[in-house]
Amino acid sequence: MSALTLKGPHWVVVRQHRRVLWAVPALVGASLAAVIVLRVWLRDPGSDQMLRTNDFYAQGLLRLCMEYAGDALLFLPLLVGAFVAGPMVARELESGTWRLALTQSTTAKAWLGSKVLVAAAVSVAGSAALIGVYRLGWAPVDGSWQLSWADRGPYEATGPVLIGYCLLAVAIGALVGQLVRRTLVAMAVTGFVTGLVLLVLGALRWSFLPVVTNTAPFPYDRPLLPPDALMMDTGFLTATGERLSENICFERTQRLNSCPADLKITAEYADFHPVSHHWPTQLIETSLLLALAAAVLYAAFRLVHARHP
């Protein structure tokens, strides 16, 4: 057990921020309790009308809670990064209290490394636990409106990509906190940068893997998409292979499944990502995030070495 005892700067970091660190398991425990209560309430429909009514309300409440929970978990990396940049790094640099650590046989690299290590460990453990809790509540409502595997919120909250974003936020906070050295400004800048990465990678993630294309002769009375697929594009194909918009026929004829002969439409097409692309996309995006985190963390330690060799 003595090997697991925190010592030196790591003990100091945990002691300084113990209230926030205790809030993490408290949040996980409260979330788990809420999900369990909703799952217990959500029973299989019974023959009694009251049971069916209770199931309906429980399903709706669970779906609403999972929708808001997925949106809330999108902000988790921003909060992690802001906390590392502000209270953990910039505040000590701003007030000068970091110099006290250097008088205790601790180097500047060890001072920063202790903060990064504690923040990263708590972020990984906390985000992994929250992913597990979210998946427990999300499973009964998977596929409903705004809660499919590819939707913003559920996508991040059901896989390792959330852990990757939290680790990147720790690295950004460690770098920005040193550069800005003002608590509130460092928190704002880190939140902005982390949010920008979320938006950019969210816009690019469905280009990591090539789409699958289904075609069928026109008119086709069955869906071109398999269940739970993420549609990227759909429309019509002409005899020459040219792609036309899905609305081009309706704009001309004001009727469905009826196209003017001069368009020479021969088939319909649909580009989509099947549900089997979920985990490969998660792993690719997580790998990119870990590479970015490593690069930013390298810059943070290079900076602290340059300023305090």
Side-chain angles (χ1 to χ4, degrees):
M1 291 297 293
S2 60
L4 299 177
T5 303
L6 293 173
K7 298 178 181 178
H10 301 89
W11 180 87
V12 174
V13 173
V14 172
R15 182 70 179 173
Q16 282 179 318
H17 306 288
R18 60 188 181 278
R19 293 179 180 176
V20 175
L21 298 181
W22 275 113
V24 175
L27 174 62
V28 173
S31 302
L32 179 60
V35 168
I36 290 175
V37 168
L38 288 171
R39 286 293 302 266
V40 170
W41 188 20
L42 183 61
R43 298 166 300 195
D44 292 332
S47 59
D48 185 81
Q49 180 63 37
M50 181 63 71
L51 291 180
R52 289 198 295 270
T53 302
N54 288 341
D55 291 334
F56 174 77
Y57 286 126
Q59 181 87 11
L61 182 58
L62 181 62
R63 201 205 69 81
L64 185 64
C65 288
M66 289 301 103
E67 182 178 344
Y68 282 118
D71 293 339
L73 286 177
L74 282 174
F75 290 93
L76 181 62
L78 279 67
L79 295 176
V80 170
F83 183 77
V84 173
M88 294 189 79
V89 177
R91 186 168 65 186
E92 292 199 19
L93 294 173
E94 184 179 13
S95 62
T97 56
W98 67 277
R99 293 188 178 91
L100 178 62
L102 301 186
T103 65
Q104 307 299 315
S105 301
T106 299
T107 64
K109 280 188 175 181
W111 169 80
L112 181 63
S114 63
K115 297 182 179 300
V116 169
L117 182 60
V118 171
V122 174
S123 298
V124 169
S127 57
L130 288 173
I131 289 170
V133 172
Y134 185 87
R135 290 188 68 90
L136 180 64
W138 173 71
V141 294
D142 175 20
S144 58
W145 174 249
Q146 294 185 334
L147 286 173
S148 70
W149 62 274
D151 285 326
R152 264 296 174 87
Y155 173 85
E156 288 83 0
T158 55
V161 70
L162 182 64
I163 300 175
Y165 278 113
C166 287
L167 289 175
L168 177 60
V170 171
I172 294 174
L175 178 61
V176 173
Q178 292 184 80
L179 291 174
V180 177
R181 292 180 170 233
R182 294 292 183 271
T183 303
L184 293 179
V185 179
M187 293 174 71
V189 172
T190 301
F192 173 78
V193 174
T194 306
L196 186 62
V197 175
L198 270 165
L199 290 175
V200 171
L201 286 183
L204 295 176
R205 68 171 53 115
W206 301 119
S207 61
F208 296 158
L209 296 174
V211 296
V212 177
T213 301
N214 278 352
T215 60
F218 176 80
Y220 191 66
D221 58 356
R222 286 176 289 174
L224 286 173
L225 298 179
D228 298 326
L230 173 64
M231 186 179 70
M232 304 301 295
D233 188 26
T234 185
F236 299 102
L237 293 173
T238 66
T240 61
E242 180 186 1
R243 290 190 169 194
L244 300 178
S245 166
E246 63 177 325
N247 297 322
I248 192 168
C249 292
F250 184 78
E251 292 172 354
R252 294 273 299 272
T253 65
Q254 300 300 309
R255 289 185 299 171
L256 298 175
N257 296 326
S258 177
C259 289
D262 62 298
L263 294 178
K264 299 180 180 179
I265 290 175
T266 59
E268 301 176 61
Y269 76 90
D271 294 337
F272 62 93
H273 286 286
V275 69
S276 60
H277 283 188
H278 176 254
W279 286 112
T281 304
Q282 285 264 345
L283 295 177
I284 292 172
E285 188 170 351
T286 303
S287 300
L288 290 175
L289 289 168
L290 293 179
L292 284 173
V296 174
L297 201 58
Y298 175 78
F301 278 98
R302 289 286 296 178
L303 178 62
V304 74
H305 177 72
R307 289 181 172 178
H308 313 287

Coordinates of all heavy atoms in Angstrom, one line a residue, residues 122-172:
V122 N -7.7 11.6 -13.0 CA -9.1 11.8 -12.6 C -10.0 11.9 -13.8 O -11.2 11.4 -13.8 CB -9.2 13.0 -11.7 CG1 -10.6 13.4 -11.3 CG2 -8.4 12.8 -10.4
S123 N -9.5 12.6 -14.8 CA -10.4 12.8 -16.0 C -10.6 11.5 -16.7 O -11.8 11.2 -17.1 CB -9.6 13.7 -17.0 OG -9.5 15.0 -16.4
V124 N -9.6 10.6 -16.8 CA -9.8 9.3 -17.5 C -10.8 8.5 -16.7 O -11.8 7.9 -17.2 CB -8.5 8.6 -17.6 CG1 -8.7 7.1 -18.1 CG2 -7.6 9.3 -18.7
A125 N -10.6 8.4 -15.3 CA -11.4 7.6 -14.5 C -12.9 8.1 -14.5 O -13.8 7.4 -14.6 CB -10.9 7.5 -13.1
G126 N -13.0 9.4 -14.3 CA -14.3 10.0 -14.2 C -15.1 9.9 -15.5 O -16.3 9.6 -15.6
S127 N -14.4 10.3 -16.7 CA -15.1 10.2 -17.9 C -15.5 8.8 -18.3 O -16.6 8.5 -18.9 CB -14.3 10.8 -19.0 OG -13.0 10.2 -19.1
A128 N -14.6 7.8 -18.0 CA -14.9 6.4 -18.3 C -16.1 5.9 -17.5 O -17.0 5.2 -18.0 CB -13.7 5.5 -18.0
A129 N -16.2 6.3 -16.2 CA -17.3 6.0 -15.4 C -18.6 6.6 -15.9 O -19.7 6.0 -16.0 CB -17.1 6.4 -14.0
L130 N -18.6 7.9 -16.3 CA -19.7 8.5 -16.9 C -20.2 7.9 -18.2 O -21.4 7.9 -18.5 CB -19.5 10.0 -17.0 CG -19.4 10.8 -15.7 CD1 -18.9 12.3 -16.0 CD2 -20.7 10.8 -15.0
I131 N -19.2 7.5 -19.0 CA -19.6 6.8 -20.2 C -20.4 5.5 -19.9 O -21.4 5.2 -20.5 CB -18.4 6.4 -21.0 CG1 -17.8 7.7 -21.6 CG2 -18.7 5.4 -22.2 CD1 -16.4 7.5 -22.3
G132 N -19.9 4.8 -18.9 CA -20.6 3.5 -18.5 C -22.0 3.8 -18.0 O -23.0 3.1 -18.4
V133 N -22.2 4.9 -17.2 CA -23.5 5.2 -16.7 C -24.4 5.7 -17.8 O -25.6 5.3 -17.9 CB -23.4 6.3 -15.6 CG1 -24.7 6.9 -15.2 CG2 -22.6 5.8 -14.4
Y134 N -23.8 6.5 -18.7 CA -24.7 7.0 -19.9 C -25.1 5.8 -20.7 O -26.3 5.8 -21.1 CB -23.9 8.0 -20.7 CG -24.7 8.6 -21.8 CD1 -25.5 9.7 -21.5 CD2 -24.8 8.0 -23.1 CE1 -26.3 10.3 -22.5 CE2 -25.6 8.6 -24.1 CZ -26.3 9.7 -23.8 OH -27.1 10.2 -24.8
R135 N -24.2 4.9 -21.0 CA -24.6 3.7 -21.9 C -25.7 2.9 -21.2 O -26.6 2.4 -21.9 CB -23.4 2.9 -22.2 CG -22.4 3.5 -23.1 CD -21.4 2.5 -23.5 NE -21.9 1.5 -24.4 CZ -22.0 1.6 -25.7 NH1 -21.5 2.6 -26.4 NH2 -22.5 0.6 -26.4
L136 N -25.7 2.8 -19.9 CA -26.7 2.1 -19.1 C -28.1 2.7 -19.3 O -29.1 2.0 -19.5 CB -26.4 2.0 -17.6 CG -27.3 1.3 -16.7 CD1 -27.4 -0.2 -17.1 CD2 -26.9 1.4 -15.3
G137 N -28.1 4.0 -19.3 CA -29.4 4.7 -19.5 C -29.8 4.9 -20.9 O -31.0 4.9 -21.3
W138 N -28.8 4.9 -21.8 CA -29.1 5.2 -23.2 C -29.6 3.9 -24.0 O -30.3 4.0 -25.0 CB -27.8 5.7 -23.9 CG -27.8 5.8 -25.4 CD1 -28.4 6.8 -26.1 CD2 -27.1 5.0 -26.3 NE1 -28.2 6.6 -27.4 CE2 -27.3 5.5 -27.6 CE3 -26.2 3.9 -26.2 CZ2 -26.8 5.0 -28.8 CZ3 -25.7 3.4 -27.3 CH2 -26.0 3.9 -28.6
A139 N -29.2 2.7 -23.5 CA -29.5 1.5 -24.2 C -31.0 1.4 -24.5 O -31.4 1.0 -25.6 CB -29.0 0.3 -23.4
P140 N -32.0 1.6 -23.5 CA -33.4 1.4 -23.8 C -34.0 2.4 -24.8 O -35.0 2.2 -25.4 CB -34.1 1.6 -22.4 CG -33.0 1.4 -21.4 CD -31.8 1.9 -22.1
V141 N -33.3 3.6 -25.0 CA -33.8 4.6 -25.9 C -33.0 4.8 -27.1 O -33.2 5.8 -27.9 CB -34.0 5.9 -25.1 CG1 -35.1 5.8 -24.0 CG2 -32.7 6.4 -24.5
D142 N -32.0 3.9 -27.3 CA -31.1 4.0 -28.5 C -31.9 4.0 -29.8 O -32.8 3.2 -30.0 CB -30.1 2.9 -28.5 CG -29.3 2.8 -29.7 OD1 -29.1 3.8 -30.4 OD2 -28.7 1.8 -30.0
G143 N -31.6 4.9 -30.7 CA -32.3 5.0 -31.9 C -33.5 5.9 -32.0 O -34.0 6.2 -33.1
S144 N -33.9 6.5 -30.8 CA -35.0 7.4 -30.9 C -34.5 8.8 -31.3 O -33.3 9.0 -31.5 CB -35.7 7.5 -29.5 OG -34.7 7.9 -28.5
W145 N -35.4 9.8 -31.4 CA -35.0 11.1 -32.0 C -33.9 11.7 -31.2 O -33.9 11.9 -30.0 CB -36.3 12.0 -32.0 CG -36.0 13.4 -32.4 CD1 -36.1 14.5 -31.7 CD2 -35.7 13.8 -33.8 NE1 -35.8 15.6 -32.4 CE2 -35.5 15.2 -33.7 CE3 -35.5 13.2 -35.0 CZ2 -35.2 16.0 -34.8 CZ3 -35.2 13.9 -36.1 CH2 -35.1 15.3 -36.0
Q146 N -32.8 12.1 -32.0 CA -31.6 12.7 -31.4 C -30.8 11.9 -30.4 O -30.0 12.4 -29.7 CB -32.0 14.1 -30.7 CG -32.5 15.1 -31.7 CD -32.8 16.5 -31.1 OE1 -33.0 16.5 -29.9 NE2 -32.7 17.5 -31.9
L147 N -31.1 10.6 -30.4 CA -30.4 9.7 -29.5 C -29.8 8.5 -30.3 O -29.6 7.4 -29.7 CB -31.3 9.2 -28.4 CG -31.6 10.3 -27.3 CD1 -32.6 9.7 -26.3 CD2 -30.3 10.7 -26.6
S148 N -29.6 8.6 -31.6 CA -29.0 7.5 -32.3 C -27.5 7.5 -32.1 O -26.9 8.5 -31.6 CB -29.3 7.6 -33.8 OG -28.6 8.7 -34.4
W149 N -26.8 6.5 -32.6 CA -25.4 6.3 -32.3 C -24.5 7.5 -32.9 O -23.4 7.7 -32.5 CB -24.9 5.0 -32.9 CG -25.1 4.9 -34.4 CD1 -26.2 4.4 -35.0 CD2 -24.1 5.1 -35.4 NE1 -26.0 4.4 -36.4 CE2 -24.7 4.9 -36.6 CE3 -22.8 5.6 -35.4 CZ2 -24.1 5.0 -37.8 CZ3 -22.1 5.8 -36.6 CH2 -22.8 5.5 -37.8
A150 N -25.0 8.1 -34.0 CA -24.3 9.1 -34.7 C -24.6 10.5 -34.3 O -24.0 11.5 -34.8 CB -24.5 9.0 -36.2
D151 N -25.6 10.7 -33.4 CA -26.0 12.1 -33.1 C -25.0 12.7 -32.1 O -24.3 12.0 -31.3 CB -27.4 12.1 -32.4 CG -28.5 11.9 -33.3 OD1 -28.4 12.3 -34.5 OD2 -29.5 11.2 -33.0
R152 N -24.9 14.1 -32.2 CA -24.0 14.8 -31.3 C -24.5 14.6 -29.9 O -25.7 14.7 -29.6 CB -24.0 16.3 -31.6 CG -22.9 16.8 -32.5 CD -21.6 16.6 -31.8 NE -20.5 16.9 -32.6 CZ -20.0 18.2 -32.7 NH1 -20.5 19.2 -32.1 NH2 -18.9 18.3 -33.5
G153 N -23.6 14.3 -29.0 CA -24.0 14.0 -27.6 C -23.9 12.5 -27.4 O -22.9 12.0 -26.7
P154 N -24.8 11.7 -27.9 CA -24.7 10.2 -27.7 C -23.4 9.7 -28.3 O -22.8 8.7 -27.8 CB -25.9 9.7 -28.4 CG -26.9 10.8 -28.3 CD -26.1 12.0 -28.4
Y155 N -23.0 10.2 -29.5 CA -21.7 9.7 -30.1 C -20.6 9.9 -29.1 O -19.8 9.0 -28.9 CB -21.5 10.4 -31.4 CG -20.1 10.1 -32.0 CD1 -19.9 9.0 -32.8 CD2 -19.0 10.9 -31.8 CE1 -18.7 8.7 -33.3 CE2 -17.8 10.6 -32.3 CZ -17.6 9.5 -33.1 OH -16.4 9.2 -33.6
E156 N -20.4 11.1 -28.6 CA -19.3 11.4 -27.7 C -19.4 10.7 -26.4 O -18.4 10.3 -25.8 CB -19.2 12.9 -27.4 CG -18.6 13.7 -28.6 CD -19.7 14.1 -29.6 OE1 -20.9 13.7 -29.4 OE2 -19.4 14.8 -30.6
A157 N -20.7 10.5 -25.9 CA -20.9 10.0 -24.6 C -20.9 8.4 -24.5 O -21.0 7.9 -23.4 CB -22.2 10.5 -24.0
T158 N -20.7 7.8 -25.6 CA -20.8 6.3 -25.6 C -19.5 5.6 -26.0 O -19.5 4.4 -26.3 CB -22.0 5.8 -26.5 OG1 -21.8 6.4 -27.8 CG2 -23.3 6.3 -26.0
G159 N -18.4 6.4 -26.1 CA -17.2 5.7 -26.6 C -16.0 6.4 -26.0 O -16.1 7.4 -25.3
P160 N -14.8 5.9 -26.4 CA -13.5 6.5 -25.9 C -13.2 7.9 -26.3 O -12.3 8.5 -25.8 CB -12.5 5.5 -26.4 CG -13.1 4.9 -27.6 CD -14.6 4.8 -27.3
V161 N -13.9 8.4 -27.3 CA -13.6 9.7 -27.8 C -13.8 10.8 -26.7 O -13.0 11.7 -26.7 CB -14.5 10.0 -29.1 CG1 -16.0 10.2 -28.7 CG2 -14.0 11.2 -29.8
L162 N -14.7 10.6 -25.8 CA -14.9 11.5 -24.7 C -13.6 11.6 -23.8 O -13.2 12.6 -23.4 CB -16.1 11.2 -23.9 CG -16.4 12.1 -22.7 CD1 -16.8 13.5 -23.2 CD2 -17.6 11.6 -21.9
I163 N -13.0 10.4 -23.6 CA -11.8 10.3 -22.8 C -10.7 11.1 -23.5 O -9.9 11.8 -22.9 CB -11.4 8.9 -22.5 CG1 -12.5 8.2 -21.7 CG2 -10.1 8.8 -21.8 CD1 -12.2 6.7 -21.5
G164 N -10.6 10.9 -24.9 CA -9.6 11.6 -25.7 C -9.8 13.1 -25.6 O -8.8 13.8 -25.4
Y165 N -11.0 13.6 -25.6 CA -11.2 15.0 -25.5 C -10.8 15.6 -24.1 O -10.3 16.7 -24.0 CB -12.7 15.4 -25.8 CG -13.0 15.5 -27.3 CD1 -13.9 14.5 -27.9 CD2 -12.5 16.5 -28.1 CE1 -14.2 14.6 -29.2 CE2 -12.8 16.6 -29.4 CZ -13.6 15.6 -30.0 OH -13.9 15.7 -31.3
C166 N -11.1 14.8 -23.1 CA -10.7 15.2 -21.7 C -9.2 15.3 -21.6 O -8.7 16.2 -21.0 CB -11.3 14.3 -20.7 SG -13.1 14.5 -20.5
L167 N -8.5 14.3 -22.2 CA -7.0 14.3 -22.1 C -6.4 15.5 -22.9 O -5.5 16.1 -22.5 CB -6.5 13.0 -22.6 CG -6.7 11.8 -21.6 CD1 -6.2 10.5 -22.3 CD2 -6.0 12.0 -20.3
L168 N -7.0 15.8 -24.0 CA -6.6 16.9 -24.8 C -6.8 18.2 -24.1 O -6.0 19.1 -24.1 CB -7.3 17.0 -26.2 CG -7.0 18.2 -27.1 CD1 -5.5 18.2 -27.4 CD2 -7.9 18.1 -28.3
A169 N -8.0 18.3 -23.4 CA -8.3 19.5 -22.6 C -7.3 19.7 -21.5 O -6.9 20.8 -21.1 CB -9.7 19.4 -22.0
V170 N -6.8 18.6 -20.8 CA -5.8 18.7 -19.8 C -4.5 19.3 -20.4 O -3.9 20.2 -19.8 CB -5.5 17.3 -19.2 CG1 -4.3 17.4 -18.2 CG2 -6.7 16.8 -18.4
A171 N -4.1 18.8 -21.5 CA -2.9 19.3 -22.2 C -3.0 20.8 -22.6 O -2.1 21.6 -22.3 CB -2.6 18.4 -23.4
I172 N -4.2 21.1 -23.2 CA -4.4 22.5 -23.5 C -4.4 23.4 -22.3 O -3.8 24.5 -22.3 CB -5.7 22.7 -24.3 CG1 -5.7 21.9 -25.6 CG2 -6.1 24.1 -24.5 CD1 -7.0 21.9 -26.4

